């Protein structure tokens, strides 16, 4: 890859991240105004808990996948990483089922968010397809943010809807990511 291609690639990645951040910021401010302090506080708490669980679910695989790819090859790393993350998501769901006895709504909201930990951003990075992943993530966020704004303007928004829409957009993105990754993996054999 020459310098011109690297600069263009970095420009695309930066542009997509700025767009995602800007739209997310606008949604956050809008939700804060509409939901009020108590419900927005609950929303924020769910985001914090889900972020911590996402770190646990990733289990350091984002950082180790490139190194392990150099040692073992990309094909085995994809399956190993997905397996580790699946185990960690399963453990998280088990813990959430226990937590649901105390706060079923919070457990559901967190459940809607934890599947983001199953993303394959690392695979796109080690496959040199960062730009494609940035567009996939941009599309995922656009589905979520656009649908929440639609609900805000035409219906009454609540946390059940917000987190269900997040889950839907994440699952659509994951289906695309996994289909694409396993298709790419099969081409490598």
């Amino acid at each position: 890859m020459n310098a011109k291609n690297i600069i263009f690639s970095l420009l695309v990645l930066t542009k997509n991240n700025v767009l995602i951040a800007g739209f997310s910021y606008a949604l956050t401010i809008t939700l804060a105004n509409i939901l009020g302090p108590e419900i927005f506080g609950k929303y924020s708490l769910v985001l914090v808990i889900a972020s911590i669980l996402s770190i646990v679910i990733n289990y350091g695989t984002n950082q180790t996948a490139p190194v392990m790819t150099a040692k073992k090859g990309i094909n085995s790393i994809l399956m190993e990483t997905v397996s580790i993350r699946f185990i960690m998501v399963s453990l998280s769901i088990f813990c959430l089922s226990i937590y649901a006895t105390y706060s079923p709504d919070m457990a559901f909201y967190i459940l809607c968010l934890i599947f983001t930990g199953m993303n394959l951003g690392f695979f796109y990075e080690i496959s040199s397809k960062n730009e494609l992943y940035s567009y996939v993530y941009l599309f995922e966020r656009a589905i979520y943010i656009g649908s929440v704004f639609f609900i805000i303007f035409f219906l009454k928004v609540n946390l059940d809807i917000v987190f269900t829409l997040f889950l839907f957009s994440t699952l659509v993105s994951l289906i695309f990511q996994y289909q694409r990754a396993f298709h790419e993996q099969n081409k490598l054999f």
Side-chain angles (χ1 to χ4, degrees):
M1 206 179 223
N2 64 27
K4 185 178 178 181
N5 289 345
I6 291 171
I7 291 170
F8 179 76
S9 180
L10 292 173
L11 180 66
V12 168
L13 296 173
T14 302
K15 172 198 57 118
N16 288 349
N17 285 331
V18 167
L19 284 172
I20 292 166
F23 290 134
S24 295
Y25 177 75
L27 178 63
T28 301
I29 297 300
T30 304
L31 285 174
N33 288 325
I34 290 174
L35 296 175
E38 183 179 336
I39 297 174
F40 186 75
K42 193 175 195 180
Y43 171 83
S44 298
L45 178 62
V46 168
L47 291 178
V48 169
I49 293 170
S51 294
I52 293 168
L53 280 176
S54 183
I55 293 168
V56 172
I57 290 167
N58 281 322
Y59 203 65
T61 54
N62 281 343
Q63 292 78 18
T64 58
V67 174
M68 296 308 291
T69 298
K71 293 179 181 178
K72 294 183 174 183
I74 196 168
N75 293 319
S76 65
I77 295 306
L78 178 61
M79 288 308 298
E80 288 175 18
T81 302
V82 168
S83 298
I84 289 168
R85 289 182 180 186
F86 180 77
I87 290 167
M88 300 310 286
V89 163
S90 299
L91 290 171
S92 297
I93 291 172
F94 175 74
C95 293
L96 283 174
S97 67
I98 295 168
Y99 180 64
T101 60
Y102 302 104
S103 181
D105 58 335
M106 291 286 284
F108 172 72
Y109 302 153
I110 295 166
L111 176 69
C112 289
L113 297 179
I114 65 170
F115 292 102
T116 59
M118 294 296 294
N119 79 67
L120 295 179
F122 75 93
F123 181 77
Y124 286 87
E125 182 178 342
I126 57 181
S127 301
S128 299
K129 297 191 184 321
N130 296 16
E131 287 179 47
L132 175 60
Y133 180 75
S134 77
Y135 282 113
V136 169
Y137 187 64
L138 177 64
F139 182 71
E140 172 188 336
R141 299 302 293 171
I143 290 173
Y144 167 64
I145 293 168
S147 59
V148 172
F149 272 121
F150 178 84
I151 297 296
I152 288 170
F153 291 120
F154 296 107
L155 302 168
K156 184 172 166 79
V157 71
N158 63 46
L159 290 182
D160 292 342
I161 294 171
V162 169
F163 288 115
T164 301
L165 290 172
F166 191 95
L167 175 62
F168 173 76
S169 67
T170 300
L171 292 178
V172 167
S173 177
L174 289 175
I175 289 167
F176 177 81
Q177 290 176 48
Y178 278 80
Q179 285 179 337
R180 182 81 182 196
F182 287 109
H183 175 74
E184 287 292 320
Q185 183 186 26
N186 290 334
K187 284 189 347 188
L188 296 173
F189 282 125

